[in-house]
């Protein structure tokens, strides 16, 4: 069945001249995610017509939509609006109701207040129910937008944020853990398209850890649409580090290699930043000193949306976006292999560079990228 949905965006409307750019992106994103969709931006709202049976579930996940409503579209004539408002609302059970009317412009000759009063009277007469503006069981919303009027009575919350693509592109380092998928989600919600990078130690670790990451990316692609995942073999690099360098600096060396590779892929993908799931003080590598050492090889910014989050907050969000149950499946992350007994919590950049001299960093990076696999996931 073809349905009509009115989508509202909060922040976008505030963005002045950017508004039409944001609206266009949102329209395109809805078209990409929703099947058979006809989408129009119309005076401060986006109206979607579609037969997609998962329409509501999909709209709930599209960044930029603050709330939406299944609506009836009628022509902007008061007698028609009154009749349709009654027939829509009389199917529901309620005792007290309210009517809220919004006019997109003042071309409609009757004021919003007067419209609401007329529609309210009609509903009260036909249904024998009472108007209660302060504590209604149900509210009938009427939006008059030029020639068209939309009537609805239920608002469904979306994810909010701003449309994908309005914030550019970034590479996102995704492990199979709890944190990085949440970090990606936070940035997706801020309009940033994520290109995913996962470092794995296959065949030293199992194929399951890769399918786990694929599943996580699939879940995230329900928010941002079709996604790219780079699978980077990290085995060789880890071996070289393990054989040739000081044990206590291993983690820092791993991380600098991850960043070097991320940087190369970012430039290939026209991405302008690296996203990680780091949170202050959570593990040895997540101290200010060590974060500075790891990011020292980059010339683009690192975004750490979870830096101030507590673990419980991250878990709560992971459950909400449906990545938690995948993240807690048992895994063999490449990074927990060869973990030193006493990793340095405050590394020294001179020591790290001295260790790095023992490796052929450029070649190792080149080789890992050469052997990378690129997948498209949706
Ligand atoms: P997570 O829960 O995301 O695995 P973590 O608490 O285990 O994070 P670390 O192991 O220090 O913390 O990793 C910090 C960040 O580095 C991760 O959030 C992720 O962005 C990135 N990262 C770690 N391991 C990998 C990996 N194998 N592939 C890609 N990125 C990784
Ligand atoms: Mg981890």
């Amino acid at each position: 069945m073809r349905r009509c949905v009115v989508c509202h965006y909060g922040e976008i409307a505030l963005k002045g001249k950017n508004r039409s750019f944001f609206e266009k992106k949102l329209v395109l994103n809805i078209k990409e995610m929703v099947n058979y969709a006809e989408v129009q931006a119309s005076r401060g709202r986006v109206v979607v017509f579609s037969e997609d049976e998962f329409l509501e579930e999909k709209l709930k996940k599209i960044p930029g939509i603050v709330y939406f409503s299944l609506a009836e579209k009628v022509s902007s004539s008061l007698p028609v609006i009154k009749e349709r408002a009654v027939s829509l609302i009389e199917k529901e059970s309620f005792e007290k109701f309210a009517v809220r009317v919004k006019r997109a412009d003042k071309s409609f000759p009757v004021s919003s207040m007067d419209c609401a009063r007329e529609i309210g009277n009609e509903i009260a007469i036909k249904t024998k129910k009472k108007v209660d503006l302060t504590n209604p069981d149900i509210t009938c919303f009427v939006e008059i937008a030029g020639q068209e009027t939309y009537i609805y009575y239920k608002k469904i919350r979306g994810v909010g944020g701003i449309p994908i693509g309005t914030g550019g592109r970034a590479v996102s380092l995704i492990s199979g853990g709890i944190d990085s998928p949440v970090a990606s989600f936070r940035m997706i919600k801020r309009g940033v398209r994520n290109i995913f990078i996962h470092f794995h130690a296959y065949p030293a670790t199992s194929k399951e850890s890769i399918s786990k990451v694929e599943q996580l990316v699939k879940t995230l692609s329900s928010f941002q649409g079709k996604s790219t995942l780079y699978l980077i073999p990290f085995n060789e690099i880890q071996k070289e580090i393990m054989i040739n360098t000081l044990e206590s600096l291993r983690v820092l060396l791993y991380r600098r290699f991850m960043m070097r590779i991320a940087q190369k892929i970012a430039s290939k993908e026209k991405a302008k930043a690296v996203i990680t799931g780091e949170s202050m003080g959570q593990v040895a590598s997540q101290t200010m000193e060590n974060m500075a050492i790891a990011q020292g090889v980059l010339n683009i910014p690192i975004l750490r949306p979870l830096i101030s989050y507590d673990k419980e907050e991250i878990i709560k969000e992971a459950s909400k976006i449906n990545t938690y149950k995948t993240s807690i499946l048992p895994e063999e992350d490449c990074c927990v292999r060869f973990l030193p007994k006493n990793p340095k919590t405050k590394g020294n950049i001179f020591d790290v560079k001295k260790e790095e001299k023992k490796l052929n960093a450029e070649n190792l990076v080149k080789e890992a990228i050469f052997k990378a696999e690129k997948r498209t996931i949706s």
Side-chain angles (χ1 to χ4, degrees), residues 39-54:
V39 189
Q40 308 150 354
S42 152
R43 299 166 186 247
R45 63 185 64 67
V46 169
V47 182
V48 184
F49 296 93
S50 163
E51 289 175 32
D52 194 322
E53 62 173 313
F54 301 110

Side-chain angles (χ1 to χ4, degrees), residues 175-177 331 333:
S175 67
E331 68 166 324
D333 186 66

Side-chain angles (χ1 to χ4, degrees), residues 174-180 282-283 286 311 331 333 335-336:
I174 188 160
S175 67
I178 297 168
D179 306 341
S180 40
Q282 202 184 79
V283 291
Q286 293 169 15
K311 197 72 187 186
E331 68 166 324
D333 186 66
C335 296
V336 291

Side-chain angles (χ1 to χ4, degrees), residues 43-88:
R43 299 166 186 247
R45 63 185 64 67
V46 169
V47 182
V48 184
F49 296 93
S50 163
E51 289 175 32
D52 194 322
E53 62 173 313
F54 301 110
L55 182 58
E56 286 177 55
E57 286 99 291
K58 287 181 178 176
L59 292 176
K60 271 184 198 168
K61 294 182 169 180
I62 298 179
I65 300 177
V66 177
Y67 69 88
F68 62 93
S69 302
L70 284 167
E72 180 131 359
K73 177 181 157 188
V74 302
S75 64
S76 295
S77 127
L78 199 49
V80 176
I81 297 171
K82 281 186 339 195
E83 188 211 319
R84 296 310 301 156
V86 170
S87 69
L88 254 182

Side-chain angles (χ1 to χ4, degrees), residues 21 49 101 149 164 170 186-187 232 248 296 305 326 344 364 375:
F21 167 66
F49 296 93
V101 176
T149 290
I164 278 289
R186 299 301 306 180
M187 296 316 300
I232 314 283
S248 61
T326 311
K344 273 255 185 309
L364 286 169
R375 299 205 179 151

Side-chain angles (χ1 to χ4, degrees), residues 94-98 120 123-124 127-133 136:
F94 63 94
E95 289 307 320
K96 302 165 295 172
F97 74 95
I123 294 176
T127 61
K128 308 207 165 36
K129 303 286 161 77
K130 280 203 170 60
V131 174
D132 183 342
L133 297 183

Side-chain angles (χ1 to χ4, degrees), residues 282-299:
Q282 202 184 79
V283 291
S285 61
Q286 293 169 15
T287 61
M288 282 196 207
E289 290 78 0
N290 285 356
M291 286 191 275
I293 289 174
Q295 76 180 34
V297 295
L298 288 175
N299 57 28

Side-chain angles (χ1 to χ4, degrees), residues 25-37 39 52 58 62 164 193 221 223-227 377-378:
K25 287 274 184 202
L26 183 57
V27 168
L28 283 177
N29 295 345
I30 295 174
K31 281 186 179 160
E32 189 200 324
M33 307 282 275
V34 174
N35 295 331
Y36 333 107
V39 189
D52 194 322
K58 287 181 178 176
I62 298 179
I164 278 289
R193 183 169 290 286
S221 74
F223 296 99
Q224 77 158 2
K226 202 161 38 172
S227 304
I377 294 179
S378 59

